[in-house]
Amino acid sequence: MELHGPDGSPLSDEDLVSVLRNWTGGDLSSLALCAGVVVHWLATHRDAQPGLAAATDADLDAAIDEMLRLDDPFVANRRIATRDTEISGCPVAAGEHVLLDWREANLDPEAFDDPHAFDPHANAAANLVYGTGPHVCPGRPLATLELRVLTRALLGAGRVELDESQPAVREEAPVAGFRSVWVRLVD
Ligand code: HEM
């Protein structure tokens, strides 16, 4: 079977590998990293659990987006400038590599009144967890649904507490978030 791009031309092997990498990397590893951040936030904010358990889907989704903004497991993506430009006063020449630092952007005091405060609705508009522009994450609705299902299942199973005997392990660059988060579900 031959697969075609939006302009009708056949996809090369390189295109197909890139698509498969985005699907598998996007869905599996991103989701695992995000799940760690969400589970850790829940376990370290026990007072918030009853309110989230009773929240509407929209409010719960906004809360999860905000947990991910505060501790974004995505560190960076790269771009190559297609023309000479300027970013916040810094000249960038065509062909230069630009690193998008999602974690810095998501805690930028120029974008958020109080960047470290948990305020899902106030901070939603500037939240860059799923990127922005032409390459904005196409998997966002799926990821949002999966994280909501996970959160509802956990909160429905009991109070989520950190297992103090097994400290959470942080991930290392080029990603962030957690490698493992051990929790107990308490009746
Ligand atoms: C789990 C949470 C997820 C997060 C936080 C996330 C985040 C992101 C971000 C920040 C980008 C933009 C990259 C850039 O600008 O260079 C992106 C792109 C992308 N994501 Fe996700 N993603 C997630 C889940 C998913 C899922 C579930 C899928 C697929 C089922 C997916 C597929 C993709 C693809 C294909 C792109 C590339 C889009 C393009 O370059 O045009 N992602 N994602």
Side-chain angles (χ1 to χ4, degrees):
M1 185 177 74
E2 199 170 63
L3 296 170
H4 295 87
D7 63 354
S9 61
L11 293 179
S12 65
D13 284 354
E14 198 180 31
D15 292 333
L16 289 170
V17 168
S18 175
V19 169
L20 288 172
R21 178 182 165 278
N22 275 331
W23 278 350
T24 51
D27 199 8
L28 302 178
S29 70
S30 314
L31 223 287
L33 292 173
C34 290
V37 170
V38 170
V39 172
H40 188 265
W41 192 95
L42 292 173
T44 50
H45 296 80
R46 281 193 240 162
D47 291 351
Q49 293 183 25
L52 289 176
T56 62
D57 284 352
D59 284 343
L60 183 55
D61 293 349
I64 291 171
D65 281 355
E66 181 69 339
M67 295 172 203
L68 297 173
R69 179 188 70 80
L70 288 166
D71 189 4
D72 192 343
F74 275 45
V75 174
N77 281 106
R78 287 165 297 174
R79 295 284 188 277
I80 298 175
T82 53
R83 60 179 171 85
D84 294 349
T85 186
E86 194 183 285
I87 304 172
S88 293
C90 174
V92 178
E96 278 188 342
H97 290 238
V98 177
L99 194 78
L100 303 176
D101 187 329
W102 301 119
R103 284 177 66 87
E104 283 289 322
N106 268 325
L107 295 173
D108 182 353
E110 288 185 21
F112 302 96
D113 288 338
D114 186 358
H116 293 278
F118 182 83
D119 193 344
H121 292 290
N123 294 332
N127 187 325
L128 290 177
V129 164
Y130 290 97
T132 185
H135 293 282
V136 69
C137 180
R140 180 173 189 167
L142 175 63
T144 301
L145 175 65
E146 289 174 317
L147 290 169
R148 187 201 309 150
V149 168
L150 166 73
T151 305
R152 287 227 185 274
L154 278 177
L155 294 178
R159 195 171 65 243
V160 185
E161 293 184 1
L162 281 182
D163 178 351
E164 304 292 352
S165 69
Q166 307 199 62
V169 180
R170 279 269 171 194
E171 262 298 354
E172 290 173 12
V175 292
F178 292 89
R179 184 162 299 171
S180 62
V181 179
W182 292 83
V183 290
R184 292 181 200 287
L185 295 174
V186 183
D187 280 339

